[in-house]
Coordinates of all heavy atoms in Angstrom, one line a residue:
Q70 N 3.6 8.1 26.1 CA 4.2 7.0 26.9 C 5.5 7.5 27.5 O 6.1 8.5 27.0 CB 4.2 5.8 26.1 CG 4.7 5.9 24.7 CD 6.2 5.9 24.5 OE1 6.9 6.0 25.4 NE2 6.6 5.6 23.3
A72 N 8.6 6.7 27.4 CA 9.8 6.9 26.7 C 9.8 8.1 25.8 O 10.9 8.6 25.4 CB 10.1 5.6 25.9
T73 N 8.6 8.6 25.4 CA 8.6 9.8 24.6 C 8.1 11.0 25.4 O 8.4 12.2 25.1 CB 7.6 9.6 23.4 OG1 6.4 9.1 23.9 CG2 8.2 8.7 22.3
H99 N 7.1 1.6 28.8 CA 8.2 1.2 27.9 C 9.5 0.9 28.7 O 10.4 0.3 28.2 CB 8.6 2.3 26.9 CG 7.7 2.4 25.7 ND1 6.4 2.6 25.8 CD2 8.0 2.2 24.4 CE1 5.9 2.6 24.6 NE2 6.8 2.4 23.7
H145 N -1.6 2.1 24.6 CA -2.7 2.0 23.7 C -3.9 1.2 24.2 O -5.0 1.4 23.9 CB -2.2 1.4 22.4 CG -1.0 2.2 21.9 ND1 -1.0 3.5 21.7 CD2 0.3 1.8 21.7 CE1 0.2 3.9 21.3 NE2 1.0 2.9 21.3
T162 N 2.0 10.4 21.6 CA 3.4 10.4 21.2 C 3.9 8.9 21.1 O 4.8 8.5 21.8 CB 4.3 11.1 22.2 OG1 4.1 10.6 23.5 CG2 3.9 12.6 22.2
D163 N 3.3 8.2 20.2 CA 3.7 6.8 19.9 C 3.0 6.5 18.6 O 1.9 6.8 18.3 CB 3.2 5.9 21.0 CG 3.8 4.5 20.9 OD1 3.4 3.8 20.0 OD2 4.8 4.2 21.6
S164 N 3.8 5.8 17.7 CA 3.3 5.5 16.4 C 2.1 4.6 16.4 O 1.3 4.6 15.4 CB 4.4 4.9 15.5 OG 4.7 3.7 16.0
H165 N 1.9 3.8 17.4 CA 0.7 2.9 17.4 C -0.6 3.5 18.1 O -1.5 2.8 18.3 CB 1.1 1.6 18.0 CG 2.1 0.8 17.2 ND1 3.4 0.7 17.6 CD2 2.0 0.3 16.0 CE1 4.1 0.1 16.6 NE2 3.2 -0.1 15.6
C425 N 5.6 -3.0 27.6 CA 6.1 -3.3 26.3 C 7.1 -4.4 26.3 O 7.1 -5.3 25.4 CB 6.8 -2.0 25.7 SG 5.6 -0.6 25.6
C428 N 9.0 -6.3 23.2 CA 8.5 -5.7 22.0 C 9.5 -4.5 21.6 O 9.6 -4.2 20.5 CB 7.1 -5.2 22.1 SG 6.5 -4.4 20.6
I429 N 10.1 -3.9 22.6 CA 11.0 -2.8 22.4 C 12.4 -3.0 22.9 O 13.1 -2.1 23.4 CB 10.3 -1.5 22.8 CG1 11.1 -0.3 22.3 CG2 10.1 -1.4 24.3 CD1 11.3 -0.3 20.8
N450 N 4.0 -6.1 16.5 CA 3.7 -5.5 15.2 C 5.0 -5.2 14.4 O 4.9 -5.2 13.2 CB 2.9 -4.2 15.5 CG 3.5 -3.4 16.6 OD1 4.7 -3.5 16.9 ND2 2.7 -2.6 17.3
R451 N 6.1 -5.0 15.1 CA 7.3 -4.7 14.3 C 8.3 -5.9 14.4 O 8.4 -6.6 15.4 CB 8.0 -3.5 14.9 CG 7.1 -2.3 14.8 CD 7.9 -1.0 14.7 NE 7.0 0.0 14.1 CZ 6.6 1.1 14.7 NH1 7.2 1.5 15.8 NH2 5.8 1.9 14.1
R456 N 15.4 -5.3 17.0 CA 14.4 -4.7 17.8 C 14.1 -5.3 19.1 O 13.9 -4.7 20.1 CB 13.1 -4.5 17.0 CG 12.0 -3.8 17.7 CD 10.8 -3.6 16.9 NE 9.7 -3.1 17.7 CZ 9.4 -1.9 18.0 NH1 10.1 -0.9 17.5 NH2 8.3 -1.6 18.7
T571 N 13.5 4.3 12.4 CA 13.9 5.1 13.6 C 14.7 4.2 14.5 O 15.5 4.6 15.4 CB 12.7 5.7 14.3 OG1 11.7 4.7 14.4 CG2 12.2 6.9 13.5
D572 N 14.5 2.9 14.5 CA 15.3 1.9 15.3 C 16.7 1.9 14.8 O 17.6 1.7 15.6 CB 14.7 0.5 15.2 CG 13.5 0.3 16.2 OD1 13.6 0.6 17.3 OD2 12.5 -0.2 15.7
A577 N 16.5 1.6 20.5 CA 15.7 1.6 21.8 C 16.5 0.6 22.7 O 17.7 0.8 22.9 CB 14.3 1.2 21.5
L581 N 16.9 3.2 25.9 CA 15.6 3.8 26.4 C 15.9 4.6 27.7 O 15.2 5.6 28.0 CB 14.5 2.8 26.6 CG 13.9 2.2 25.4 CD1 13.0 1.1 25.8 CD2 13.1 3.3 24.6
R584 N 16.2 8.5 27.3 CA 15.2 9.2 26.5 C 15.0 10.6 27.1 O 14.3 11.4 26.4 CB 13.9 8.4 26.4 CG 14.0 7.2 25.5 CD 14.1 7.8 24.0 NE 14.0 6.7 23.1 CZ 12.8 6.2 22.6 NH1 11.7 6.7 23.0 NH2 12.8 5.3 21.7
G645 N 8.6 3.7 11.1 CA 8.5 3.1 12.4 C 8.1 4.1 13.5 O 7.0 4.7 13.3
S646 N 8.9 4.1 14.5 CA 8.5 4.8 15.7 C 8.3 6.3 15.5 O 8.8 7.0 14.6 CB 9.6 4.6 16.7 OG 9.6 5.6 17.7
S647 N 7.6 6.9 16.5 CA 7.4 8.3 16.5 C 8.5 9.1 17.3 O 8.5 10.3 17.3 CB 6.1 8.6 17.3 OG 6.3 8.3 18.7
R648 N 9.5 8.3 17.8 CA 10.5 8.9 18.7 C 11.2 10.1 18.0 O 11.8 10.0 17.0 CB 11.5 7.9 19.1 CG 12.3 7.2 18.1 CD 13.1 6.0 18.6 NE 12.2 4.9 18.7 CZ 12.6 3.6 18.5 NH1 13.8 3.3 18.3 NH2 11.7 2.6 18.7
Ligands
MIC1 C1 7.7 1.4 19.1 O1 6.8 0.6 19.0 O2 8.6 1.5 18.2 C2 7.7 2.4 20.2 C3 8.8 2.2 21.1 O3 6.5 2.3 20.9 C4 7.8 3.8 19.6 C5 7.9 4.9 20.5 C6 9.2 5.1 21.1 O4 10.2 4.9 20.4 O5 9.3 5.5 22.3 C7 6.6 4.2 18.6 O6 6.0 3.3 18.1 O7 6.4 5.4 18.4

Side-chain angles (χ1 to χ4, degrees):
Q70 43 87 342
T73 49
H99 279 62
H145 311 303
T162 59
D163 191 282
S164 67
H165 294 108
C425 302
C428 182
I429 192 54
N450 42 29
R451 297 209 161 124
R456 179 172 170 95
T571 47
D572 280 309
L581 285 173
R584 284 291 186 87
S646 159
S647 67
R648 63 192 76 149

